[in-house]
Amino acid sequence: MALTYQACLQATQVILASGSVPTIVGEAGIGKSALVADLAAQRQAKLFTTVVSLVEKGDLVIPVPPLTADSFVQTAQYGSLADVRFGYSHTLVAMIRYAEAHPQQEIIWFLDEFNRGSQAVQSELMNLVLQRQINTLKLPEQVHLILAENPDATMAGFTQSHYGVTPGDAAIADRTTRLVLQADTVSWLQWAKTVVAGQPRITPLVTQYLTENPADLHVVGVDNASDDDLQPTPRAWERVSRAVQELDAQHLFSQSAVVAAIMQGNLGMTVGTAFAGFLTQHRPGLTVEQAMSLPDAVTTMETLSAAQQQQILQNCLQAGEWPLTSNENGQRFADLLAVCPADGQFAIAQTMADQADLLENLAAVQTARPGVAQLYHLLTQIGLRGSQIEV
C-alpha cells in the first residue's frame, strides 16, 4: 500500500521507535530525502547521508597496514607479513566522533539509493544493516539506519519499472520494513509553503501553479512523445523554484526563450511549456517594484510582448505603495505607458478611468509636478484618440 508523505513520515517514526530499519521505496525525485530530513529535524537527530549508488567496494572499509615497526610479523620461512587493520570512510569516522561527543543525541544514517549500488557494495553494507557491525567497528546505540530505494520490477506494484537497480539480498528485505512513498500534491504543497528562515521553501509561483494543476507535480507511467523524455517530479519542482528565484534576481523574466528552455529542461516539454506560459502571465518580465524603480525598466518594457506590458501596468495600478500622484511615480508610469501599443494604452486608460477619483487627483497636482503632468497629458491624448474617456 502506497503512503502519502505525512503517512510515510508517521510510519517511519513508528518503525524507528520499534527498533527496526525502514526502507522507503519511491520513484526518483519523489521526496524520500526530504522526508528523512524532516524526520531528523522532528526528532532533533543529527543526519548523515551516504549515497550508495556512488560508493565503490572498499570505500566504507579499506584495509591498511599500521604505520609502526611492530606492524609487521616476521616468519621463519616466509618473510614478513603486514598486520592489516582497517581504515574507515570519512562518513563513518565523522559519525563515530559525533556520537562520542554527543552521547545523548540521536543519529540517523541515511543510506540513499541503496539498491542502485553494486552487489559488492550492498554486501559490504550488509553487516551494518543486519548486525550493526562492520569488521571490528560497532555502530553506537544512538545510530538509526534508514534505507531508500528506487522501485524495481521484482516489487509488487512496480512490474513496469525500468530503473537500473540491483535487487537487494533477501536477508535485507526480511529484516527491514518496506514503506512505499507516493506523490501527494496536498502534502507536498503544505511542505512547500512552510516558512523557513522567513521564506517559503518553494516560491509561490510554483505552489500557485501546482494548486491549479495538481496532476503536474509528478508524472510517471505516461506514454511520452519522442520529444518529452523528461517528466516533472517533486525534486524537479524544487530545482524550478530555485531557477525562478534566480531569474527574478537577474531580471531575466523578459527573456522568454531562456525561461522556456529552463522550465522544459527540468519538467519536460509538455509541463515545462505550460509552466513557462504561466510565468509569462503571472510574472510578466517585471515586478511592480522593478517597473517603478529600476533604471532600465523602460528599456526592458520595450522588449516585452503587448500582453506582458499590459499586465505589468495593471499590476502597478493595483499596488497602493506606488501612488501616481508622486512626481517620480507619475513620470515613470507615463514612460512605461508610452512604449505600449495604442490598444494597450487605451485599455490601461480605461482601467484608470474606472478607479474613483484617480484622474481628478492627477489633474489636481499636475501643475506643481511635471512628471504627473506628463502622465495626465498622455492620458488626455489617449482619451481623445478613443473618444471614450473624459479627462
Side-chain angles (χ1 to χ4, degrees):
M1 177 180 178
L3 298 173
T4 65
Y5 188 93
Q6 290 300 326
C8 190
L9 191 59
Q10 293 173 340
T12 306
Q13 294 272 27
V14 172
I15 294 168
L16 290 181
S18 69
S20 297
V21 176
T23 297
I24 303 171
V25 176
E27 305 281 351
I30 202 169
K32 300 183 294 293
S33 299
L35 186 146
V36 175
D38 277 356
L39 180 76
Q42 289 182 11
R43 297 171 71 96
Q44 297 184 322
K46 176 67 174 178
L47 176 62
F48 291 87
T49 298
T50 296
V51 181
V52 178
S53 62
L54 303 179
V55 175
E56 299 290 343
K57 180 173 173 56
D59 283 354
L60 290 171
V61 181
I62 305 171
V64 294
L67 303 178
T68 67
D70 297 330
S71 302
F72 297 89
V73 178
Q74 299 297 326
T75 67
Q77 302 180 50
Y78 306 107
S80 62
L81 301 174
D83 182 9
V84 176
R85 304 279 173 87
F86 300 97
Y88 294 93
S89 73
H90 176 76
T91 298
L92 272 170
V93 171
M95 188 185 308
I96 296 302
R97 285 179 172 172
Y98 191 90
E100 289 181 329
H102 306 84
Q104 303 304 316
Q105 185 177 3
E106 181 179 8
I107 295 173
I108 291 177
W109 190 9
F110 180 39
L111 300 178
D112 196 10
E113 298 186 354
F114 189 86
N115 62 343
R116 299 192 74 175
S118 67
Q119 191 65 60
V121 170
Q122 290 188 39
S123 297
E124 195 169 61
L125 288 165
M126 187 81 73
N127 284 334
L128 282 174
V129 178
L130 303 183
Q131 306 296 332
R132 297 181 59 82
Q133 182 172 335
I134 184 166
N135 295 317
T136 61
L137 174 66
K138 295 181 179 180
L139 288 182
E141 290 296 322
Q142 71 215 73
V143 175
H144 296 288
L145 291 163
I146 299 178
L147 279 58
E149 295 184 342
N150 291 129
D152 69 70
T154 67
M155 298 178 182
F158 294 103
T159 55
Q160 302 302 314
S161 178
H162 299 291
Y163 286 96
V165 302
T166 304
D169 190 284
I172 291 285
D174 187 51
R175 287 180 170 84
T176 64
T177 302
R178 180 187 297 169
L179 300 173
V180 178
L181 176 64
Q182 68 178 4
D184 170 33
T185 305
V186 174
S187 296
W188 190 85
L189 285 173
Q190 290 175 345
W191 172 85
K193 294 176 182 178
T194 302
V195 176
V196 178
Q199 298 291 332
R201 282 171 163 154
I202 302 297
T203 179
L205 284 167
V206 169
T207 54
Q208 182 181 348
Y209 175 85
L210 290 174
T211 298
E212 299 173 8
N213 304 274
D216 286 350
L217 174 66
H218 190 219
V219 179
V220 292
V222 177
D223 292 333
N224 299 332
S226 59
D227 61 347
D228 217 6
D229 57 314
L230 295 175
Q231 296 287 9
T233 66
R235 181 185 296 160
W237 282 111
E238 289 186 59
R239 294 196 304 271
V240 164
S241 176
R242 294 192 296 270
V244 167
Q245 292 171 328
E246 192 59 35
L247 286 167
D248 195 4
Q250 296 190 32
H251 314 309
L252 291 176
F253 273 106
S254 61
Q255 305 297 318
S256 57
V258 173
V259 173
I262 292 172
M263 302 311 144
Q264 292 164 359
N266 281 291
L267 304 170
M269 289 294 296
T270 302
V271 177
T273 301
F275 183 63
F278 176 88
L279 288 176
T280 298
Q281 179 182 358
H282 291 81
R283 180 62 177 78
L286 292 169
T287 65
V288 173
E289 181 177 3
Q290 290 168 349
M292 299 299 288
S293 63
L294 288 180
D296 60 348
V298 177
T299 302
T300 300
M301 190 78 160
E302 292 175 330
T303 68
L304 303 179
S305 68
Q308 288 176 305
Q309 293 172 344
Q310 188 168 329
Q311 185 62 57
I312 290 169
L313 292 174
Q314 294 282 7
N315 293 343
C316 291
L317 291 176
Q318 295 170 9
E321 62 269 28
W322 300 92
L324 299 185
T325 50
S326 159
N327 188 62
E328 293 78 9
N329 296 341
Q331 174 78 60
R332 173 53 62 88
F333 194 86
D335 293 340
L336 294 171
L337 183 59
V339 304
C340 296
D343 56 346
Q345 292 179 352
F346 183 71
I348 295 299
Q350 279 189 314
T351 300
M352 296 177 70
D354 291 338
Q355 294 188 14
D357 302 328
L358 175 57
L359 296 182
E360 292 181 8
N361 292 336
L362 293 176
V365 301
Q366 65 162 323
T367 303
R369 299 172 186 177
V372 177
Q374 179 180 338
L375 174 59
Y376 189 78
H377 178 72
L378 177 58
L379 292 171
T380 301
Q381 296 302 313
I382 294 170
L384 290 174
R385 289 199 304 265
S387 299
Q388 295 186 27
I389 300 179
E390 292 184 23
V391 293

